[in-house]
Amino acid sequence: MLNFEESDEEKMFREAVREFAQKYIAPAWQEYDRSHEIPRDIIKKMADQMLWAPTVSEEYGGANLSWVMSCIAAEELARADLSIALPVMYLVEASWAFIFDKYGTEEAKKEILPKVTSGDLFFGIATTEPTGGSDLVNTTKTTIKPKDDGYVINGEKVYISGVAESEKYGGVYWTLAKSDPKGDHKAFDAFILPLNMGDGLHPGITTTLFEDMGRMGVSCGGFAIENVDIPKHYLIGEHGRGFYHAMEGFSAARVLIAATCLGAAEGAFKIGVDYVKQRKQFGRPLAAFEGIMFEGVDSWMALQADRHLTYHAAWMMDEHYGKENPNYSKLDIAKYTAAAKYKAPHDALDIITRAMTWHGAFGYSKECPLEASYRGVRSYTVGAEGGSHVQKIVMGREIFGPECLPYRQEKQM
Ligand SMILES: Cc1cc2nc3c(=O)[nH]c(=O)nc-3n(C[C@H](O)[C@H](O)[C@H](O)COP(=O)(O)OP(=O)(O)OC[C@H]3O[C@@H](n4cnc5c(N)ncnc54)[C@H](O)[C@@H]3O)c2cc1C
């Protein structure tokens, strides 16, 4: 049965998150955009509301939240924080802690996840390296080798979210490395890299920070990993399956990114509509000129399309993870989450740009909240959690068949 209505539970949840976000986040985000740090008490308050890594199982302090509900939370957080810094932190942890919960060892989960869901330990993702982030199979140089009763890691990760927060307060990373540097996608292992377990940087790790153009409340940096020992139980999933688990994690992150960009675009759209209804030029409100009104209609149509695509993808994920014999495979999900991750940020950027233009000179000033939104959302059309072209590669693979992928063609030639 086709039904586009949210359930009563989902409606109540949306209202509760919206109330929370408008009360605590909406008045604070412009300050943390300037100070470059999300106040710890906001994260703690979210954790108290079971909104921090809520996709994690209840036994580790999570809420076992559905993907539809997790998207509702992302959307409402971004509606309140137009810079999207807090939603970024939320979505990184919600997606990657979920994959860790699904494939990690009991011992590691007991040790790490309760500290993540309580907001004490950041849970990030580290796949990108100086040699590249799109073609992980051919560019990953970080290695994982068995040593004594565990593993030793060497390499470097760059453009990683949450490095400053992890160094200051504690953080671990869902990390990808190769057990055989010359191997293909079956040579990857996923594991927990303990950057800082709360007692300072782990021996062998040195960090750097980059200055991004947007989402200033969350840091972006990198770390060199030199002979870092990790225990055996930090391995996530089976040896050789790391690449597949990473792809699953990207799908989870991408649907939440789409919901985040949708929320930011909705917030920007409302600001723009309110403005053009009251700002007068040539004797009438700007909204009463069709040149402006039709642009607004284009924005509205894009929001509807993105809402449907995003929640369709989230619903497919709930079907997949909630059923013993799901109708949708991980590849079906990858196709839809890639589509949502491609479309929602691009549309959001158009919607925010229109709203900025409607504000005239004020729209280009730092006083106007839209410029921070523009800077933040742009991160998801550039590359974070996979570049735009890579989303098209994922969709193209499912539409035309893997045999049409250019790099497979090259192998056959
Ligand atoms: C703000 C921000 C935060 C980030 N946070 C994290 C993080 O927490 N953890 C993490 O691991 N990484 C993170 N990243 C890195 C991100 O995952 C990478 O930027 C992304 O995977 C692309 O890798 P790259 O930057 O090395 O670009 P490259 O892989 O060098 O690609 C460069 C450009 O070429 C395009 N391209 C690549 N292949 C093709 C192709 N076959 N056809 C056409 N075009 C192609 C790409 O889309 C991109 O536009 C973050 C990035 C940003 C911007």
Side-chain angles (χ1 to χ4, degrees):
M1 187 174 56
L2 204 54
N3 185 353
F4 293 105
E5 278 274 325
E6 282 175 359
S7 69
D8 288 346
E9 193 192 357
E10 286 158 357
K11 277 184 200 153
M12 274 167 58
F13 180 71
R14 184 184 285 283
E15 272 169 34
V17 180
R18 186 177 292 186
E19 200 181 308
F20 173 87
Q22 293 301 327
K23 184 169 175 190
Y24 295 109
I25 298 165
W29 75 263
Q30 280 179 294
E31 181 46 38
Y32 63 66
D33 188 59
R34 284 185 206 109
S35 67
H36 297 192
E37 188 175 340
I38 296 168
R40 298 303 290 171
D41 71 295
I42 290 189
I43 292 171
K44 280 298 205 182
K45 277 196 181 85
M46 282 188 61
D48 290 346
Q49 300 290 314
M50 314 240 339
L51 280 174
W52 212 238
T55 48
V56 164
S57 319
E58 285 163 12
E59 59 184 305
Y60 307 117
N64 202 17
L65 206 62
S66 72
W67 287 96
V68 166
M69 301 259 258
S70 303
C71 282
I72 289 174
E75 189 186 346
E76 291 306 326
L77 293 175
R79 196 195 301 278
D81 172 358
L82 292 184
S83 80
I84 73 165
L86 184 77
V88 165
M89 272 195 114
Y90 159 86
L91 78 87
V92 167
E93 304 207 30
S95 45
W96 294 98
F98 169 81
I99 298 296
F100 172 51
D101 188 0
K102 202 162 152 43
Y103 297 109
T105 64
E106 196 54 43
E107 198 180 348
K109 290 195 289 184
K110 268 191 189 145
E111 182 189 347
I112 290 166
L113 284 177
K115 292 181 193 156
V116 174
T117 51
S118 66
D120 293 309
L121 204 59
F122 177 73
F123 195 100
I125 160 73
T127 56
T128 309
E129 303 199 359
T131 35
S134 304
D135 179 13
L136 291 176
V137 170
N138 293 302
T139 58
T140 300
K141 305 278 179 245
T142 301
T143 56
I144 175 166
K145 301 270 175 218
K147 184 190 168 193
D148 305 329
D149 199 25
Y151 302 93
V152 60
I153 319 294
N154 278 288
E156 187 180 359
K157 299 288 175 183
V158 288
Y159 303 115
I160 306 299
S161 302
V163 170
E165 292 83 347
S166 298
E167 186 163 356
K168 199 164 171 188
Y169 302 108
V172 298
Y173 281 86
W174 195 108
T175 308
L176 209 51
K178 272 181 153 181
S179 52
D180 170 9
K182 291 203 176 81
D184 61 9
H185 53 284
K186 294 194 185 89
F188 282 91
D189 284 336
F191 56 91
I192 291 289
L193 186 79
L195 200 92
N196 171 8
M197 293 300 277
D199 50 4
L201 273 186
H202 193 87
I205 291 188
T206 44
T207 59
T208 49
L209 289 177
F210 307 123
E211 199 174 340
D212 278 346
M213 67 179 264
R215 49 194 237 191
M216 308 310 281
V218 57
S219 67
C220 187
F223 37 85
I225 314 161
E226 207 181 337
N227 292 322
V228 170
D229 292 323
I230 60 162
K232 205 174 187 171
H233 68 272
Y234 276 16
L235 197 74
I236 304 171
E238 281 171 46
H239 167 59
R241 297 285 302 168
F243 185 82
Y244 299 97
H245 299 328
M247 296 303 119
E248 200 174 338
F250 282 129
S251 276
R254 284 169 189 169
V255 75
L256 292 176
I257 288 168
T260 295
C261 291
L262 175 66
E266 286 167 333
F269 182 61
K270 184 176 183 322
I271 291 172
V273 169
D274 289 350
Y275 185 77
V276 292
K277 283 180 77 175
Q278 58 84 20
R279 176 77 167 179
K280 283 189 180 156
Q281 292 296 321
F282 298 99
R284 54 171 121 151
L286 290 171
F289 291 102
E290 283 178 339
I292 300 279
M293 182 194 273
F294 288 179
E295 284 180 3
V297 170
D298 287 341
S299 293
W300 180 84
M301 287 192 291
L303 287 173
Q304 305 317 304
D306 290 328
R307 167 172 289 276
H308 283 105
L309 187 54
T310 301
Y311 283 96
H312 187 173
W315 173 83
M316 283 170 82
M317 286 179 66
D318 284 331
E319 289 285 299
H320 176 84
Y321 289 112
K323 286 189 174 161
E324 221 158 273
N325 296 306
N327 290 332
Y328 303 101
S329 70
K330 290 192 179 102
L331 290 177
D332 295 329
I333 290 169
K335 182 182 175 186
Y336 274 77
T337 52
K341 200 276 181 177
Y342 183 91
K343 238 185 104 44
H346 280 90
D347 286 342
L349 212 56
D350 287 345
I351 292 164
I352 294 162
T353 304
R354 282 182 203 121
M356 282 173 81
T357 309
W358 293 350
H359 281 76
F362 180 56
Y364 191 63
S365 79
K366 289 253 177 199
E367 297 309 309
C368 178
L370 297 172
E371 64 85 34
S373 199
Y374 182 89
R375 289 187 277 112
V377 166
R378 186 75 173 95
S379 67
Y380 286 127
T381 59
V382 169
E385 304 272 6
S388 292
H389 313 88
V390 170
Q391 309 315 310
K392 287 195 170 172
I393 293 174
V394 172
M395 289 181 266
R397 181 191 67 203
E398 296 312 306
I399 296 165
F400 293 94
E403 70 280 5
C404 293
L405 287 174
Y407 51 84
R408 296 242 180 146
Q409 290 277 316
E410 272 159 28
K411 264 190 186 167
Q412 286 162 17
M413 277 166 27

